[in-house]
């Protein structure tokens, strides 16, 4: 059995390059597309099944055709994580399941006019379920909107997706400590700061979290252009790495 995550986007809502910014990181990204960052998202492939993890990339329909994937799995309903659903919903054909947290407000009129999207698959914290034999457990995160991370499990591997979050709730931290993932992909929007920011992690927070979890490989995502500037001049601790758009993570 084979589990692979591909990072389709590793930026925040601001993206990299940021509009109107001429910092070193933004200029580098304008001149070299490999340093650009789209909205934070991923593709989860388990054997032949494909799940799109968040839908913030606006032109999803340019990258995916009907039947190329089985469902969406959403962390939350902020626009930079769901904007790709707005045009896609007006397509034709079979319904596409959308799994996510029980946020009654959702985003704009997605629930009122779902089109071909089926939003009935609401999840509950710490209540595991399966998608095409892949075990998934929703994990509450600290964010300004109801947000879930996810632990993906196969008979031989575990990987945690933890974005968007500022630190971790105590119950989520304990759950991960008891179900140790081999890989963690986690929100790290900011360079090291004295205190954890309000909605997203800084590097110091992520390092402290992993002192409790002891994960051998921590991949940072939801990266801002300010943090990219910091990364251009500083090295990450051993076991930590900055994700990039298109990064493939095998988890076997």
């Amino acid at each position: 059995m084979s589990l692979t995550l591909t990072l389709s986007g590793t930026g925040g809502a601001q993206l990299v390059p940021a509009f109107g910014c001429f910092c070193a990181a933004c200029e580098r990204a304008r001149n070299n597309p490999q340093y650009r960052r789209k909205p934070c998202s991923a593709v989860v492939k388990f054997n032949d099944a494909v799940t799109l993890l968040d839908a913030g990339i606006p032109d999803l329909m340019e990258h995916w055709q009907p039947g190329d994937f089985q469902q969406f799995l959403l962390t939350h309903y902020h626009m930079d994580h769901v904007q790709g659903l707005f045009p896609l919903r007006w397509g034709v054909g079979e319904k596409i399941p959308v799994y996510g947290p029980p946020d009654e407000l959702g985003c704009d009129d997605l629930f009122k006019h779902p089109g071909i999207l089926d939003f009935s698959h609401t999840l509950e914290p710490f209540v595991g379920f399966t998608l095409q034999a892949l075990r998934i457990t929703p994990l509450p995160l600290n964010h300004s909107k109801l947000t879930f991370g996810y632990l993906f499990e196969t008979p031989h591997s575990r990987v945690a997706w933890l974005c968007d979050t500022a630190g971790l709730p105590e119950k989520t931290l304990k759950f991960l400590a008891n179900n140790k993932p081999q890989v963690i992909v986690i929100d790290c929007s900011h360079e090291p700061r004295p205190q954890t920011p309000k909605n997203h992690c800084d590097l110091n927070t992520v390092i402290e979290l992993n002192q409790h979890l002891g994960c051998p490989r921590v991949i940072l995502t939801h990266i801002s252009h300010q943090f990219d500037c910091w990364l251009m001049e500083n090295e990450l601790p051993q076991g930590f790495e900055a994700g990039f758009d298109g990064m493939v993570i095998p988890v076997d």
Side-chain angles (χ1 to χ4, degrees):
M1 295 184 176
S2 174
L3 174 62
T4 301
L5 266 69
T6 300
L7 305 186
S8 47
T10 55
Q14 192 176 38
L15 310 183
V16 179
F19 181 78
C21 181
F22 301 98
C23 70
C26 287
E27 288 290 82
R28 180 182 64 171
R30 288 190 185 95
N31 294 325
N32 192 335
Q34 78 177 77
Y35 294 109
R36 290 177 175 264
R37 298 189 186 278
K38 297 178 182 178
C40 186
S41 54
V43 179
V44 182
K45 186 173 183 182
F46 183 56
N47 297 332
D48 295 325
V50 175
T51 299
L52 300 190
L53 181 50
D54 280 339
I57 295 177
D59 60 345
L60 278 176
M61 296 183 298
E62 300 296 320
H63 304 278
W64 300 93
Q65 295 299 313
D68 286 349
F69 62 97
Q70 279 65 54
Q71 58 264 320
F72 288 100
L73 178 62
L74 303 181
T75 59
H76 65 299
Y77 283 92
H78 273 151
M79 183 63 78
D80 58 315
H81 291 259
V82 299
Q83 59 189 333
L85 299 179
F86 281 84
L88 184 143
R89 62 178 165 166
W90 302 125
V92 298
E94 297 183 1
K95 293 280 188 179
I96 302 173
V98 181
Y99 295 79
D103 183 342
E104 295 181 358
L105 295 178
C107 181
D108 198 67
D109 67 350
L110 276 175
F111 292 166
K112 186 176 180 181
H113 302 290
I116 63 170
L117 301 175
D118 178 4
F119 290 101
S120 66
H121 306 276
T122 53
L123 307 174
E124 296 298 328
F126 303 110
V127 178
F129 66 105
T130 57
L131 292 177
Q132 294 83 42
L134 177 62
R135 184 71 175 172
I136 304 173
T137 304
L139 305 174
L141 301 181
N142 293 326
H143 199 46
S144 59
K145 200 167 179 62
L146 178 61
T147 304
F148 284 163
Y150 296 102
L151 181 69
F152 300 99
E153 295 181 86
T154 76
H156 309 291
S157 58
R158 292 190 182 106
V159 57
W161 178 271
L162 305 172
C163 190
D164 301 18
T165 191
L168 291 175
E170 189 64 28
K171 288 185 178 180
T172 296
L173 190 61
K174 288 182 178 179
F175 181 89
L176 290 171
N178 292 329
N179 297 272
K180 291 186 176 297
Q182 294 149 287
V183 180
I184 290 175
V185 184
I186 188 168
D187 180 321
C188 189
S189 295
H190 305 293
E191 70 283 356
R193 295 186 177 183
Q195 295 181 329
T196 301
K198 183 178 179 181
N199 252 343
H200 298 279
C201 291
D202 71 316
L203 181 58
N204 284 339
T205 300
V206 174
I207 291 172
E208 183 179 350
L209 288 172
N210 203 49
Q211 289 174 350
H212 296 280
L213 300 176
C215 182
R217 187 181 186 192
V218 179
I219 299 171
L220 311 179
T221 189
H222 208 285
I223 293 171
S224 66
H225 62 125
Q226 295 99 329
F227 187 30
D228 261 338
C229 283
W230 186 93
L231 289 167
M232 293 172 72
E233 299 181 354
N234 298 272
E235 293 186 0
L236 291 169
Q238 185 175 358
F240 292 75
E241 57 193 291
F244 56 87
D245 289 21
M247 183 178 190
V248 179
I249 308 167
V251 198
D252 289 321

